[in-house]
Amino acid sequence: MLGASVKGYSLKPEKESLFNQVKKDLKCKTVFADIRDRKKLEKELLSFEPDFVFHLAAQSLVRPSYQIPIDTFEINAIGTANILDAIRKLKKSCAAVIITTDKVYENNESGKAFLESDPLGGYDPYSASKACAEIVTSSFTNSFFNLKGYKSHKKAIATARAGNVIGGGDYSKDRLIPDIYKALKEDVSVKIRSPKSVRPWQYVLEPLSGYMQLAALMAQEPQKYSSAYNFGPEPRDILDVETIVKSAIKAFGKGNYKIEELKNMPHEAKLLSLNISKAKSNLGWKPMLNSKQAITKTMLWYKNALVKNTNIFELCKKDIHDFTNN
Ligand SMILES: NC(=O)c1ccc[n+]([C@@H]2O[C@H](COP(=O)([O-])OP(=O)(O)OC[C@H]3O[C@@H](n4cnc5c(N)ncnc54)[C@H](O)[C@@H]3O)[C@@H](O)[C@H]2O)c1
């Protein structure tokens, strides 16, 4: 919509996916391949000569990371190294935003809102692999993209650590909003396993606009902006799962839920909160929607998408227009 030429690189999408819903209207080059395939990745990146790289590809879920820890580390840590190494070989300027997560912080669940300068950690393989991605990025930055030598290498690299993202078009397994949508669509009760878990929930276009804002500023003033940033909601929007479920049901207009606290579940942090002052003061970014608005927009997207003959691409475009006009 901003007139950029875009190339995407990812695994083949699941059958039920936003990509498949919009692909006939998408005007971007698409490559289906693995970021662990270093040669292919390098070839595709170098031939496209991007001005900007947004690295989002990941094994992005906590619970599956307990089942496939080695894949999770390979994709999230080595995959990030592969991308940075391909960027190192680019013979032109490039600003890259490496998306990690708010789960990269050493979390003793004290309720403290994490600052970018806080120590990295990670209990489960997903969180630890993303903390590894941060360390890999820091090593590449120090070794190859040192800001003191920017004039010769012309690469600006930053990391972005986002809180929990919600929005229409997410059909992932084992995620709260897609689980709510699937239950409401099938007219069954929403089952929630950790009603009191607290997370920084935010509408999907909030962090995406932050990543773009960050990349644009990095291209102008790399020395000033290339570092790590948290993107999350305001503190009042750091809510527990049960509150989210109640709001989602209200916005969807029907449904109910039951709590099924499962025993012997692998560890998942119950409390996580982010301090977003750096993104606010340095980038001029701030969240536009509160959590109630984010949940309402998300559930309305799913509701509209269920209406026969809805053009999903137009639905997404309208949401982007509404958000940017805000
Ligand atoms: N969803 C959230 O709440 C959230 C919060 C913070 C950070 N993040 C991070 O943001 C990014 C995007 O999250 P999402 O929710 O869209 O994730 P997603 O799981 O919906 O999408 C991940 C994408 O990565 C691709 N991918 C996975 N493994 C790959 C591989 N080996 N090679 C190439 N492509 C591969 C998939 O094909 C998919 O397109 C991820 O890095 C995730 O860790 C997500």
Side-chain angles (χ1 to χ4, degrees):
M1 287 163 77
L2 291 171
S5 158
V6 178
K7 180 173 185 174
Y9 185 106
S10 80
L11 298 180
K12 280 207 176 105
E14 299 288 323
K15 199 166 166 225
E16 186 179 37
S17 65
L18 181 60
F19 181 86
N20 281 337
Q21 288 182 305
V22 301
K23 67 179 176 192
K24 68 174 173 31
D25 296 306
L26 271 186
K27 288 186 190 67
C28 73
K29 296 189 179 76
T30 301
V31 179
F32 292 130
D34 200 307
I35 50 167
R36 287 170 292 182
D37 183 345
R38 189 149 48 97
K39 290 227 158 74
K40 172 84 175 160
L41 178 69
E42 190 179 299
K43 181 175 157 274
E44 296 295 344
L45 192 131
L46 295 183
S47 65
F48 190 58
E49 301 193 309
D51 299 304
F52 298 97
V53 172
F54 296 93
H55 169 40
L56 295 109
Q59 192 302 92
S60 64
L61 301 166
V62 173
R63 284 218 286 173
S65 81
Y66 281 103
Q67 281 134 28
I68 48 164
I70 302 300
D71 292 285
T72 303
F73 279 101
E74 282 177 356
I75 296 167
N76 295 354
I78 303 298
T80 298
N82 288 344
I83 285 172
L84 292 167
D85 202 46
I87 293 172
R88 183 168 74 86
K89 293 174 185 164
L90 256 184
K91 298 221 172 356
K92 63 184 288 286
S93 61
C94 179
V97 182
I98 307 297
I99 315 307
T100 62
T101 170
D102 57 352
K103 296 186 178 70
V104 295
Y105 294 108
E106 181 70 59
N107 187 358
N108 62 8
E109 307 201 38
S110 66
K112 173 187 190 295
F114 293 112
L115 285 166
E116 288 83 350
S117 51
D118 281 331
L120 299 174
Y123 185 114
D124 58 88
Y126 169 71
S127 308
S129 68
K130 285 287 192 171
C132 290
E134 288 280 349
I135 294 170
V136 165
T137 307
S138 165
S139 164
F140 268 78
T141 303
N142 289 327
S143 310
F144 309 113
F145 313 126
N146 204 300
L147 286 169
K148 288 189 197 121
Y150 180 79
K151 279 200 176 123
S152 60
H153 58 70
K154 299 202 203 80
K155 309 292 185 299
I157 314 287
T159 60
R161 305 161 179 177
N164 278 42
V165 176
I166 61 172
D170 188 356
Y171 301 101
S172 304
K173 292 187 191 84
D174 223 15
R175 271 194 188 156
L176 183 63
I177 294 289
D179 285 350
I180 296 174
Y181 158 70
K182 284 171 207 160
L184 298 182
K185 186 176 116 184
E186 283 155 27
D187 250 332
V188 296
S189 301
V190 179
K191 288 182 198 153
I192 45 178
R193 57 174 198 260
S194 309
K196 298 292 167 236
S197 282
V198 174
R199 294 280 185 280
W201 308 92
Q202 63 188 323
Y203 183 56
V204 60
L205 297 180
E206 309 274 19
L208 295 189
S209 64
Y211 305 157
M212 289 170 74
Q213 174 92 346
L214 170 59
L217 289 167
M218 280 160 65
Q220 286 165 23
E221 284 186 79
Q223 276 93 346
K224 185 168 172 194
Y225 294 105
S226 305
S227 58
Y229 289 87
N230 291 338
F231 293 98
E234 299 287 359
R236 63 171 179 271
D237 290 309
I238 298 177
L239 301 177
D240 69 44
V241 165
E242 190 169 4
T243 307
I244 296 280
V245 173
K246 282 183 185 160
S247 304
I249 289 173
K250 195 168 164 214
F252 201 75
K254 62 164 194 167
N256 58 62
Y257 70 96
K258 55 180 181 210
I259 295 167
E260 278 189 0
E261 284 188 77
L262 302 174
K263 297 232 157 59
N264 302 324
M265 292 294 287
H267 172 274
E268 270 191 62
K270 300 240 173 326
L271 199 57
L272 213 177
S273 100
L274 273 186
N275 183 314
I276 54 169
S277 334
K278 183 178 170 189
K280 279 181 166 176
S281 58
N282 288 20
L283 309 177
W285 171 92
K286 64 172 190 199
M288 304 297 291
L289 306 182
N290 64 35
S291 62
K292 289 264 154 62
Q293 291 167 318
I295 296 161
T296 303
K297 261 193 129 8
T298 300
M299 296 317 292
L300 282 180
W301 189 98
Y302 285 109
K303 212 173 160 177
N304 287 329
L306 282 175
V307 176
K308 217 176 152 203
N309 296 330
T310 298
N311 181 320
I312 304 292
F313 186 76
E314 290 302 324
L315 190 60
C316 294
K317 260 175 81 172
K318 185 180 174 307
D319 275 357
I320 295 169
H321 268 302
D322 292 349
F323 184 81
T324 47
N325 288 339
N326 208 330

